[in-house]
Amino acid sequence: MTSTLRIQHRTDVHYDGPVIQSFDEVRMTPLYSDSQLIRSTSISILPHPWQFSYVDYWGTQVTSFELHDPHDRLTVNADTTLDIVKLPHVDSGMTLPEVVAGHDRWYEYVVTSAVTDPGDELRERTRELLHDSMTVNQLGHAVSEMIHDEVHYVPGSTRVDTTAQQAWEARSGVCQDIAHLVIGCLRSLGVPTRYVSGYMLPTTDAGLGEPVDGQTHAWVQWWDGAWTGFDPTNMIDSGESHARVGIGREYADVAPFKGVFSGPGVTTTYEAAVIIRKLA
């Protein structure tokens, strides 16, 4: 199946005083890939900065910019139209020993960080799910189901720096935390697993061209001879409603907006909105 989406992502940053200068970068442009054809894409920034674009180490399109004049507000608008093809999700039949034997190729997606470390309890729970005839794809689904059943999706319950262990202890989090937990569990067994950042159309019922409040979203991909995408927050395969923007080890590699600024003790308020229209 194929869908055509127009995705408009607006981020407003408000400062409570004049910012003298700021250095920022955004990752809001969907990837061009075998399942995503980019028809058009643009990023506009106010005030108008000096800017340039590049592809980072993980393969994500980055727009970097600098402002050197006083400002108390910053607005970034990203507008992309793309075709998304849902590729078939096929279980390769590879077992854990087969995947682990070749995981040196994906070493960076096997190492567990302080953010994705699941902790001793969850690491043991993951080992208990495994049985001899289980494929890696089946294992990925079993781990996702375990996390989905026990960690409640509660918007605003965590922060961007919340660790997987903290989310597990609280038994609540958002899509970022659920992805980190699944990643940590699978990596604890040696399965290369990566974090995917992007957008999700939350409903397929809207009429063509009708604006829908969309979401920035996170899901995972595990390696079983190919990268298999799965959305553990919604317990569905990633498909024509998921637009990939970035892939990395964890959230910090693909954060939509990050930067530094200088000013007389100012603080910031961030507001973000995503509008998605299904065009075909």
Side-chain angles (χ1 to χ4, degrees):
M1 296 179 65
T2 302
S3 64
T4 300
L5 303 180
R6 182 183 181 188
I7 302 170
Q8 295 170 289
H9 182 180
R10 179 187 177 98
T11 297
D12 285 299
V13 185
H14 303 267
Y15 306 96
D16 67 356
V19 169
I20 305 305
Q21 57 185 353
S22 62
F23 304 85
D24 307 280
E25 58 184 31
V26 296
R27 290 167 172 81
M28 299 179 180
T29 303
L31 297 167
Y32 182 87
S33 70
D34 55 354
S35 62
Q36 294 190 171
L37 173 64
I38 309 301
R39 290 175 175 249
S40 65
T41 188
S42 65
I43 289 183
S44 61
I45 304 165
L46 290 173
H48 296 294
W50 175 86
Q51 68 183 78
F52 71 100
S53 296
Y54 68 96
V55 176
D56 70 11
Y57 177 81
W58 308 105
T60 305
Q61 182 73 39
V62 182
T63 299
S64 180
F65 56 94
E66 303 175 10
L67 286 163
H68 299 282
D69 295 316
H71 56 284
D72 58 12
R73 180 172 178 172
L74 174 64
T75 300
V76 181
N77 283 295
D79 191 342
T80 301
T81 299
L82 75 163
D83 295 333
I84 304 175
V85 181
K86 183 177 181 180
L87 300 176
H89 288 248
V90 179
D91 190 333
S92 69
M94 293 184 72
T95 61
L96 184 61
E98 291 173 318
V99 168
V100 170
H103 73 23
D104 285 352
R105 176 184 178 188
W106 306 113
Y107 178 77
E108 290 162 316
Y109 296 123
V110 178
V111 176
T112 299
S113 70
V115 172
T116 59
D117 184 357
D120 293 338
E121 176 199 351
L122 195 49
R123 196 177 289 109
E124 180 59 31
R125 290 275 300 274
T126 302
R127 283 194 291 266
E128 292 172 357
L129 292 174
L130 188 64
H131 58 74
D132 291 342
S133 61
M134 178 177 277
T135 67
V136 167
N137 197 50
Q138 291 170 336
L139 175 62
H141 284 86
V143 168
S144 297
E145 184 174 4
M146 175 179 67
I147 300 301
H148 180 269
D149 288 349
E150 298 202 34
V151 178
H152 301 288
Y153 181 86
V154 182
S157 61
T158 55
R159 308 188 318 175
V160 294
D161 58 353
T162 297
T163 68
Q165 288 190 57
Q166 290 169 335
W168 176 250
E169 290 167 1
R171 293 301 196 276
S172 67
V174 294
C175 56
Q176 168 188 308
D177 306 294
I178 293 170
H180 281 158
L181 283 163
V182 172
I183 288 168
C185 289
L186 291 175
R187 287 182 185 172
S188 74
L189 295 177
V191 179
T193 315
R194 57 192 191 182
Y195 184 102
V196 186
S197 174
Y199 304 106
M200 180 183 176
L201 178 65
T203 177
T204 58
D205 296 334
L208 293 181
E210 180 181 342
V212 175
D213 289 332
Q215 307 169 4
T216 57
H217 195 50
W219 58 100
V220 303
Q221 291 178 337
W222 54 73
W223 176 260
D224 66 340
W227 288 109
T228 298
F230 191 74
D231 179 351
T233 300
N234 296 294
M235 286 303 291
I236 57 174
D237 293 336
S238 60
E240 67 271 18
S241 293
H242 294 75
R244 286 177 293 153
V245 170
I247 295 169
R249 298 163 298 179
E250 57 195 47
Y251 170 81
D253 288 337
V254 291
F257 185 102
K258 64 174 71 173
V260 295
F261 61 87
S262 62
V266 297
T267 58
T268 58
T269 301
Y270 291 86
E271 297 177 359
V274 178
I275 299 297
I276 302 179
R277 293 175 173 83
K278 188 171 184 179
L279 304 182

